[in-house]
């Protein structure tokens, strides 16, 4: 996947690109409006990460350019403003999704994947397969070795999050934010994360699946693909 | 009291105070001048009589029919050539007060000394006073009438610019970003007032814009570094680290989580204060409530909390949809967090109000203080203490009334949608009854 990261903060841009490079994506960086516009007109990208506040212009203006030039890339807006107007304007302006700073990199990645699936693969790939695990994002069904897992919506989301961010350390905070949103007010979420992960592992093991999910001491969990 | 009435009353008061004083002064003056004139005249008469005596004429011409007495006296002339006696007495035959002035003059005619005395009855000070009194009553009445009439007529004209300025201030709205328009006036005080108000509102508008800008900027400026730290920590946790380092990173991630949450909540509060979430359309509050409550299923089941709901249907409310969601979800998470294992939560929604009550430990500080920012019942608690402050602010923005009570192990938070309507207090009492059972 080829991604254009439009973000004026160089450290953040490089952080995102480091993470996405780990997924074997090709990332290009644009630190301002003009550079982004130029790149958009010259090259094609599968996805664009777009910061709204740029030193020389508004990211929403860039959305207009994207629409005018019929660029078919998926657009994920990153903004520090979680003002509602911005969200609505962004989505009405042709963006596919919206994350607010400070986001978790796995979350960003998961959303990027979702956009990619929807937009580039045109929904043909509503099945996400990893070895014996198959996830159907349309029907919200998970199967392991062709056995249907009896998972809740939250557990399905959790498994999907793990599969998309495989071999990554997923912090408890990031999982909590993914499952319950940003406004959960840190409701001692981490016990709940533990509960959900435990249940999920139990259910996968019960279906004779490999227990890929391992605990990373002090941090969270990891979907370790090298487990057999 | 109206300014006009105040000024009138003061003015009338001053008139009433000054009038007796001036009356006394003028009475004394009139009386003294009258007496003086009389004394002058009688002295003149005495002088003439003395001159006639000297000339050897009979003083009949002056003494005849006049209250005058000529007495030859023994011995030398007294040192004082003249003495004036003013008598106030009650005359016996008339039975009324009289005032008599006697002028005694002493002359030396040849070898003989004479005392010539003239006297006359003069007007009494009471009589002057009586005459003045009726005049003064009329004067005061006329002044009162004139003052109150002209004040009323004049004030309409004089205060017109003031009233127009008041109206302009009343209609001024900081959020509309329209500079205030004040009518021109020729009165210096009102000109000053207008220029002052103009300056003040302009300043307020500038400040308001600055605060809004600041909140937006603060958001951007703080969220970006937070995003950098968070993403770098996530990258760091991917590297080859040992257990101690992992624990350190975990702690940092917790702190960042909290920091970003505080930042977001404070910004939300600022935006609420700036009235940025104006609601223009009605939403179905019952549906929002149901949806939000459903989101907390996980928490409820994990803490084994029993939830009882009684939600009336079809409750339209004018509130921004995001605020409605945030309101319910803050209250819900609050009710869950401060509950104990296997506790209970009761949610009730009617057309009039929304009530959420939960079991839990008694609050350590007065319940109303829990609406203040960063106030927590238990200071060591994981929460940041902004949830209820946000709830309160949302209620204020939408004109709802919120109360928090604690009774018999139940925390009851109640939001009245249209405070001031009748029948609310009755419901509150009922509510408590059912809760305490």
């Amino acid at each position: 996947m080829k991604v254009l990261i439009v973000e004026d903060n160089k450290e953040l841009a490089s952080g995102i690109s480091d993470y996405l490079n780990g997924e074997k994506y090709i990332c290009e960086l644009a630190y301002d409006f003009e550079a982004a516009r130029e790149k958009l007109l010259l090259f094609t990208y599968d996805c664009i990460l777009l910061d709204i506040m740029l030193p020389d212009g508004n990211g929403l203006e860039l959305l207009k350019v994207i629409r005018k030039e019929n660029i078919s890339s998926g657009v994920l807006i990153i903004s520090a403003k979680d003002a509602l107007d911005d969200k609505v304007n962004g989505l009405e302006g042709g963006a596919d999704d919206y994350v607010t700073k400070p986001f978790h990199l796995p979350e960003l990645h998961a959303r990027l994947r979702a956009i990619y699936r929807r937009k580039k693969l045109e929904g043909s790939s509503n099945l996400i397969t990893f070895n014996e695990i198959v996830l159907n994002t349309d029907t919200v069904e998970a199967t392991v070795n062709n056995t249907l897992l009896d998972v809740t919506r939250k557990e399905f989301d959790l498994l999907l999050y793990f599969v998309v961010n495989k071999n990554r350390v997923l912090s408890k905070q990031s999982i909590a934010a993914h499952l319950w949103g940003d406004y959960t007010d840190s409701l001692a979420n981490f016990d709940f994360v533990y509960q959900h992960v435990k249940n999920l592992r139990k259910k996968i093991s019960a279906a004779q699946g490999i227990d890929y999910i391992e605990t990373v001491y002090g941090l969270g969990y990891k979907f370790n693909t090298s487990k057999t | 009291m109206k300014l006009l009435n105040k000024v009138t009353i003061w003015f009338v008061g001053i008139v009433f105070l000054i009038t007796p004083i001036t009356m006394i002064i003028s009475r004394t003056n009139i009386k003294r001048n009258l007496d003086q004139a009389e004394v002058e005249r009688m002295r003149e008469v005495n002088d003439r009589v003395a001159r006639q005596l000297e000339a050897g004429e009979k003083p009949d011409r002056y003494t005849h029919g006049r209250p005058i007495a000529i007495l030859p006296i023994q011995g030398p002339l007294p040192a004082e050539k003249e003495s004036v006696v003013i008598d106030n007495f009650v005359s016996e035959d008339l039975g009324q007060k009289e005032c008599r002035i006697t002028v005694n003059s002493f002359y030396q005619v040849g070898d003989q000394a004479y005392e010539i005395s003239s006297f006359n009855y003069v007007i009494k000070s009471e009589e002057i006073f009586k005459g003045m009194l009726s005049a003064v009553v009329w004067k005061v009445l006329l002044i009162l009438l004139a003052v109150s009439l002209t004040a009323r007529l004049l004030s309409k004209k004089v205060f017109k610019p003031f009233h127009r300025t008041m109206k302009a201030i009343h209609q001024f709205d900081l959020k509309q970003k329209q500079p205030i328009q004040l009518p021109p006036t020729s009165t210096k005080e009102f000109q000053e007032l207008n220029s002052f108000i103009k300056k003040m509102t302009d300043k307020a508008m500038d400040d308001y814009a600055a605060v809004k800008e600041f909140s937006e900027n603060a958001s951007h400026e703080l969220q970006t570094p937070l995003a950098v730290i968070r993403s770098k920590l996530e990258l760091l946790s991917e590297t080859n680290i040992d257990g101690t380092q992992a624990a350190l990173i975990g702690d940092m991630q917790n702190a960042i989580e909290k920091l970003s949450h505080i930042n977001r909540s404070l910004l939300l509060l600022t935006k609420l204060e700036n009235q940025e979430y104006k609601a223009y359309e009605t939403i179905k509050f019952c549906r929002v409530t149901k949806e939000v409550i459903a989101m907390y299923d996980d928490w409820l089941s994990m803490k084994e909390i029993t939830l009882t709901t009684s939600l009336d249907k079809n409750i339209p409310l004018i509130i921004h949809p995001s605020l409605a969601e945030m309101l319910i979800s803050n209250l819900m998470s609050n009710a869950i967090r401060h509950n104990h294992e296997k506790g209970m939560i009761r949610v009730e929604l009617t057309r009039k109000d929304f009530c959420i009550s939960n079991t839990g430990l008694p609050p350590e500080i007065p319940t109303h203080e829990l609406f203040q920012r960063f106030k927590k019942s238990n200071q060591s608690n994981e929460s940041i203490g902004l949830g209820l402050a946000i709830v309160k602010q949302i209620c204020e923005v939408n004109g709802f009334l919120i109360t928090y009570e604690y009774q018999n192990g139940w925390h009851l938070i109640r939001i009245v949608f249209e405070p001031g309507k009748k029948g609310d207090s009755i419901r509150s009492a009922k509510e408590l009854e059912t809760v305490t059972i």
Side-chain angles (χ1 to χ4, degrees):
Chain A
M1 184 166 30
K2 214 175 153 198
V3 182
L4 175 66
I5 301 166
V6 186
E7 163 63 59
D8 62 323
N9 187 297
K10 289 184 179 152
E11 283 92 38
L12 188 58
S14 81
I16 297 169
S17 109
D18 281 355
Y19 192 87
L20 296 182
N21 283 337
E23 299 291 326
K24 307 277 181 286
Y25 297 172
I26 302 151
C27 297
E28 284 198 29
L29 306 177
Y31 298 129
D32 54 45
F33 186 89
E34 271 313 307
R37 207 170 66 101
E38 223 166 88
K39 284 208 153 89
L40 276 174
L41 297 179
L42 287 174
F43 309 106
T44 47
Y45 298 93
D46 296 310
C47 278
I48 300 159
L49 291 178
L50 184 58
D51 186 5
I52 297 252
M53 299 235 272
L54 293 170
D56 56 344
N58 191 320
L60 295 174
E61 291 297 314
L62 217 52
L63 271 179
K64 283 185 193 157
V65 175
I66 291 169
R67 206 149 55 167
K68 210 171 112 202
E69 301 291 330
N70 270 326
I71 296 168
S72 64
S73 324
V75 180
L76 175 60
I77 287 179
I78 324 167
S79 174
K81 292 184 179 177
D82 51 358
L84 256 123
D85 291 343
D86 258 14
K87 205 171 218 159
V88 172
N89 287 344
L91 296 181
E92 276 178 0
D96 296 283
D97 207 352
Y98 190 105
V99 284
T100 45
K101 290 177 186 174
F103 46 79
H104 293 275
L105 285 173
E107 178 69 35
L108 185 81
H109 178 223
R111 290 195 184 219
L112 208 56
R113 277 313 297 197
I115 292 174
Y116 184 67
R117 272 202 308 275
R118 274 206 310 272
K119 198 133 183 178
K120 276 294 165 175
L121 309 176
E122 272 147 12
S124 63
S125 169
N126 50 17
L127 294 182
I128 295 148
T129 316
F130 175 77
N131 293 348
E132 71 272 31
I133 301 172
V134 180
L135 296 167
N136 186 330
T137 50
D138 281 353
T139 56
V140 199
E141 280 172 352
T143 54
V144 174
N145 295 321
N146 295 320
T147 320
L148 189 65
L149 288 188
D150 174 30
V151 286
T152 62
R153 176 73 210 225
K154 286 272 183 312
E155 285 159 359
F156 179 85
D157 286 345
L158 181 63
L159 185 56
L160 181 60
Y161 196 50
F162 271 122
V163 172
V164 168
N165 289 295
K166 44 186 170 288
N167 293 320
R168 299 285 196 176
V169 177
L170 299 182
S171 64
K172 286 168 278 185
Q173 293 87 348
S174 136
I175 293 170
H178 180 74
L179 293 184
W180 292 291
D182 285 327
Y183 280 103
T184 46
D185 198 8
S186 62
L187 248 177
N189 285 334
F190 311 139
D191 297 343
F192 302 139
V193 170
Y194 169 77
Q195 282 288 344
H196 275 83
V197 172
K198 199 175 86 179
N199 290 345
L200 182 62
R201 285 169 81 169
K202 234 188 260 170
K203 285 174 186 176
I204 293 172
S205 298
Q208 256 61 133
I210 300 165
D211 185 18
Y212 296 104
I213 301 167
E214 61 178 33
T215 308
V216 182
Y217 172 76
L219 285 175
Y221 303 93
K222 189 173 179 175
F223 191 85
N224 194 340
T225 54
S226 54
K227 269 201 176 176
T228 45
Chain B
M1 190 187 254
K2 269 182 134 185
L3 176 72
L4 181 64
N5 295 346
K6 267 191 185 169
V7 170
T8 313
I9 285 173
W10 271 98
F11 189 79
V12 169
I14 289 167
V15 166
F16 272 114
L17 193 76
I18 296 298
T19 311
I21 299 173
T22 51
M23 267 173 83
I24 290 166
I25 293 170
S26 33
R27 188 203 62 176
T28 338
N29 271 341
I30 290 168
K31 173 82 176 135
R32 197 173 49 225
N33 280 324
L34 284 177
D35 290 358
Q36 207 59 47
E38 197 57 39
V39 169
E40 257 334 289
R41 196 184 61 77
M42 288 192 286
R43 186 182 293 138
E44 189 67 23
V45 169
N46 286 0
D47 278 356
R48 292 223 178 143
V49 171
R51 274 204 296 278
Q52 277 179 335
L53 278 176
E54 227 167 305
E57 293 172 29
K58 278 221 162 191
D60 289 4
R61 192 171 143 204
Y62 289 104
T63 55
H64 190 73
R66 283 174 198 263
I68 193 162
I70 305 163
L71 290 172
I73 50 169
Q74 301 300 317
L77 283 174
E80 286 282 328
K81 286 253 167 131
E82 188 186 278
S83 72
V84 177
V85 182
I86 298 173
D87 292 332
N88 281 302
F89 60 95
V90 181
S91 93
E92 275 161 24
D93 39 346
L94 288 171
Q96 63 180 34
K97 271 179 146 184
E98 290 290 357
C99 181
R100 191 178 64 191
I101 298 180
T102 315
V103 177
N104 304 312
S105 309
F106 300 95
Y107 300 93
Q108 182 75 41
V109 179
D111 296 337
Q112 187 62 50
Y114 289 96
E115 181 194 352
I116 302 175
S117 300
S118 301
F119 68 92
N120 201 358
Y121 291 93
V122 292
I123 191 160
K124 292 170 295 187
S125 59
E126 285 87 358
E127 280 158 353
I128 301 172
F129 196 73
K130 254 184 231 159
M132 280 169 78
L133 198 65
S134 67
V136 158
V137 167
W138 277 108
K139 195 169 88 182
V140 168
L141 276 177
L142 278 175
I143 286 174
L144 279 183
L145 197 73
V147 162
S148 45
L149 266 179
T150 48
R152 241 138 271 266
L153 289 175
L154 265 176
S155 83
K156 262 192 194 153
K157 195 174 150 54
V158 171
F159 278 103
K160 203 173 176 189
F162 178 72
H163 288 304
R164 280 194 295 192
T165 302
M166 294 269 281
K167 206 176 157 199
I169 297 170
H170 199 69
Q171 285 170 348
F172 177 69
D173 186 0
L174 205 54
K175 271 162 280 143
Q176 284 181 349
K177 292 172 187 166
Q178 289 270 333
I180 196 165
Q181 294 291 333
L182 297 169
T185 163
S186 56
T187 316
K188 194 167 169 262
E189 282 84 351
F190 293 152
Q191 278 170 359
E192 269 171 29
L193 178 73
N194 282 0
S195 83
F196 174 68
I197 286 168
K198 181 107 182 89
K199 239 186 261 168
M200 209 168 69
T201 50
D202 286 354
K203 174 99 171 61
M205 263 161 50
D206 284 350
D207 286 355
Y208 181 71
V211 165
K212 270 186 77 166
E213 209 183 307
F214 176 78
S215 75
E216 299 278 357
N217 289 348
S219 154
H220 191 241
E221 297 308 321
L222 279 177
Q223 307 274 56
T224 308
L226 276 173
V228 173
I229 300 172
R230 189 182 258 177
S231 60
K232 297 287 167 177
L233 276 179
E234 268 159 354
L235 289 170
L236 185 61
S237 62
E238 304 269 317
T239 56
N240 242 338
I241 48 168
D242 60 32
T244 338
Q245 289 164 329
L248 290 174
I249 292 171
D251 290 346
M252 283 194 260
Q253 278 171 336
N254 267 339
I256 287 170
E257 198 67 29
K258 210 163 174 180
L259 195 57
S260 74
H261 187 74
I262 292 173
N263 190 36
R264 206 168 276 178
S265 304
L266 285 177
L267 277 167
L268 177 68
L269 279 169
T270 317
K271 280 182 182 156
L272 283 171
E273 273 168 15
N274 288 352
Q275 310 256 347
E276 273 183 45
Y277 295 101
K278 280 236 167 177
Y280 299 105
E281 49 195 307
T282 36
I283 59 156
K284 287 201 167 149
F285 197 70
C286 39
R287 190 178 293 167
V288 176
T289 310
K290 214 177 275 174
E291 279 168 10
V292 173
I293 289 175
M295 289 190 341
Y296 285 90
D297 277 352
D298 292 333
W299 276 276
L300 292 169
S301 58
M302 269 181 219
K303 249 186 147 175
E304 293 177 63
I305 291 169
T306 326
L307 174 75
T308 36
T309 55
S310 115
L311 308 177
D312 282 6
K313 281 193 180 127
N314 199 12
I315 293 169
L317 215 58
I318 299 177
I319 179 174
H320 195 290
S322 308
L323 291 192
E325 226 171 84
M326 219 172 288
L327 183 73
I328 307 288
S329 92
N330 271 330
L331 287 173
M332 266 309 273
S333 66
N334 203 54
I336 297 169
R337 187 177 322 110
H338 301 294
N339 220 321
H340 42 70
E341 298 267 327
K342 295 185 176 127
M344 279 189 277
I345 293 177
R346 190 197 299 262
V347 181
E348 276 180 65
L349 176 68
T350 65
R351 239 163 219 289
K352 275 196 217 110
D353 56 8
F354 173 83
C355 286
I356 182 164
S357 38
N358 65 276
T359 50
L361 294 172
E364 285 166 23
I365 54 173
T367 49
H368 65 269
E369 279 183 24
L370 288 166
F371 289 121
Q372 293 169 16
R373 292 177 190 187
F374 300 110
K375 275 274 181 183
K376 297 183 269 186
S377 185
N378 179 1
Q379 289 297 327
S380 61
N381 204 305
E382 263 301 300
S383 72
I384 55 168
L386 284 173
L388 280 183
I390 290 173
V391 166
K392 177 99 196 275
Q393 195 73 43
I394 292 174
C395 287
E396 269 173 23
V397 166
N398 290 287
F400 302 161
L401 180 81
I402 184 163
T403 51
Y404 186 155
E405 286 165 76
Y406 178 80
Q407 262 195 354
N408 305 340
W410 283 86
H411 295 260
L412 170 76
I413 293 180
R414 184 159 170 273
I415 295 169
V416 182
F417 300 136
E418 284 173 79
K421 270 199 172 179
K422 273 188 178 177
D424 288 343
S425 49
I426 299 162
R427 192 179 140 69
S428 170
K430 244 194 208 164
E431 188 71 32
L432 278 172
E433 240 168 69
T434 52
V435 162
T436 47
I437 288 163

